[in-house]
Amino acid sequence: MKLKEIEAFDAFMKHGTTKAAAEALAISQSMVSRLLSGLEEELGFTLFKRKRNQIEPTSEAYVYHASVLRLMASIRDTQKDAEAIANNQVGNVVVAAQPIFCDTFLLDVIKRFKERHPKVGVRLVDVGMQELLKMIGNNTCDVALGITLEADTYGASVTSLARCEARCIMHREHSLASESVVPITSLQNQTFVELMSDSPLRARVDYIMQTIDIKRHIAAEIRPMRSVCALVDRGLGIAIIDAIAELLLHGTSVVSKPIEPSIEWEIALLKSKSRPLSKVAKAFCDDIHQEIGELQQMGILKELPRSETGPTSSSLL
């Protein structure tokens, strides 16, 4: 059976005559009659009692129309879904990201995205770098945000977004708070609040400190960057943080200083090489790029040199 036959039957049952059905469908009355006859022939049972120039539904027609109503409702839903998909208004986006991104600018990305795509679900998963790469490799997330580009072996397509410089933070009453720039040599014998040893930033800091033989006292080790900042606010020690973590310092007694020489890395957007992005995932990526641009304008992130923008596979960590 053809959809046009079903539509003609539905229109006839709703409006009562072939003339009214033809007007509702914007086709000729003779076309409606042909469509109804064709449907009746395909079904194999009588839909209409024919009396001269008039037709009346049989009891079987009413039973069958109940099924047709369900079908037409399903078709309308399918059409709405198609329109929603075309307009990026249906689906889900799964984003894997390191916790500092989940605690800061990704919240603004989600807010902006939901304003334009209210019916699209967003799931934000905060994970460490190794788990993030596994999720990309296993296609259990659509996109991911990390601070390493060492991802080719995990089946990831990687795009550098911006350059990030570490900051040294301390309580405003700390002796280093009066410095405009903190020389790394001045960190000798300072008390630190540190990220856990599996953090890429912690690994970078450890390597630099060992290379130039800087000794530091570690008062506490903790995983979330938010907690590191909170302990520094309580005067427990100083810390070296991701520049994005400065967004967590508003309303605290913590001050942030650049480090000399600088400790740098790049923020990267990761996607699967084996699975294309959906339209809604692409729209979410667009909002990430917009938010990164605003962080650059705020001076929290730095733009990449032109030759470094776009997909890359170089190792930063």
Side-chain angles (χ1 to χ4, degrees):
M1 66 189 71
K2 301 178 179 66
L3 179 58
K4 288 186 178 297
E5 294 173 343
I6 297 293
E7 291 175 336
F9 174 69
D10 180 54
F12 175 82
M13 295 298 290
K14 287 178 177 177
H15 299 286
T17 67
T18 55
K19 181 181 179 180
E23 291 175 353
L25 296 174
I27 60 178
S28 67
Q29 189 173 349
S30 61
M31 176 61 75
V32 171
S33 297
R34 286 197 296 272
L35 291 170
L36 293 179
S37 296
L39 177 62
E40 193 172 35
E41 183 177 343
E42 290 184 40
L43 291 175
F45 57 85
T46 302
L47 287 173
F48 307 104
K49 298 175 184 177
R50 290 173 171 81
K51 297 180 180 179
R52 296 185 181 180
N53 294 328
Q54 293 184 339
I55 60 174
E56 295 180 1
T58 62
S59 58
E60 289 81 5
Y62 287 105
V63 173
Y64 182 61
H65 188 234
S67 176
V68 167
L69 287 174
R70 292 192 295 270
L71 174 62
M72 297 303 293
S74 177
I75 290 172
R76 286 192 294 272
D77 289 341
T78 300
Q79 291 171 334
K80 289 179 181 178
D81 286 345
E83 292 172 359
I85 291 171
N87 294 317
N88 299 338
Q89 290 298 336
V90 71
N92 294 281
V93 180
V94 181
V95 182
Q98 295 183 267
I100 182 58
F101 302 149
C102 298
D103 283 342
T104 54
F105 75 92
L106 278 180
L107 302 178
D108 294 318
V109 172
I110 292 173
K111 180 177 182 295
R112 177 185 288 116
F113 178 80
K114 291 294 291 184
E115 287 173 350
R116 291 193 290 223
H117 312 279
K119 295 183 180 180
V120 177
V122 178
R123 185 159 69 94
L124 183 60
V125 185
D126 62 328
V127 291
M129 198 62 214
Q130 292 304 311
E131 184 60 28
L132 181 151
L133 293 173
K134 288 178 183 177
M135 290 183 69
I136 283 288
N138 296 334
N139 286 325
T140 51
C141 68
D142 295 293
V143 295
L145 278 170
I147 60 170
T148 178
L149 303 185
E150 204 170 12
D152 278 353
T153 57
Y154 292 84
S157 172
V158 185
T159 302
S160 298
L161 298 178
R163 186 161 55 89
C164 197
E165 291 185 357
R167 307 282 293 188
C168 184
I169 60 171
M170 67 285 299
H171 192 278
R172 63 188 178 192
E173 296 181 358
H174 193 277
S175 59
L176 291 176
S178 60
E179 302 287 341
S180 57
V181 178
V182 176
I184 285 184
T185 53
S186 68
L187 301 180
Q188 184 74 254
N189 295 321
Q190 291 289 343
T191 299
F192 273 73
V193 178
E194 287 285 5
L195 293 163
M196 300 299 287
S197 59
D198 59 353
S199 160
L201 176 55
R202 169 70 185 276
R204 175 65 69 83
V205 171
D206 285 348
Y207 174 77
I208 291 174
M209 295 299 184
Q210 291 168 8
T211 300
I212 60 178
D213 196 26
I214 297 291
K215 301 292 190 300
R216 67 197 194 279
H217 307 292
I218 299 178
E221 296 175 285
I222 194 164
R223 189 170 303 279
M225 186 74 77
R226 179 182 294 275
S227 299
V228 170
C229 296
L231 288 177
V232 172
D233 188 34
R234 288 164 171 77
L236 198 63
I238 66 175
I240 294 177
I241 64 165
D242 188 313
I244 290 176
E246 289 188 324
L247 297 171
L248 302 173
L249 302 181
H250 300 302
T252 71
S253 297
V254 178
V255 293
S256 174
K257 305 289 182 177
I259 302 171
E260 189 177 75
S262 63
I263 303 173
E264 300 181 1
W265 60 90
E266 291 176 9
I267 295 176
L269 182 66
L270 292 80
K271 311 168 194 175
S272 172
K273 285 183 178 178
S274 62
R275 187 180 70 176
L277 286 181
S278 65
K279 282 190 174 183
V280 291
K282 288 180 181 177
F284 193 89
C285 290
D286 290 341
D287 285 333
I288 288 176
H289 281 278
Q290 184 174 343
E291 190 67 26
I292 290 292
E294 292 182 8
L295 290 174
Q296 290 171 336
Q297 291 178 0
M298 293 168 62
I300 291 176
L301 296 177
K302 297 181 180 297
E303 292 186 11
L304 295 168
R306 290 184 180 276
S307 60
E308 295 184 22
T309 57
T312 179
S313 60
S314 62
S315 170
L316 292 179
L317 290 174

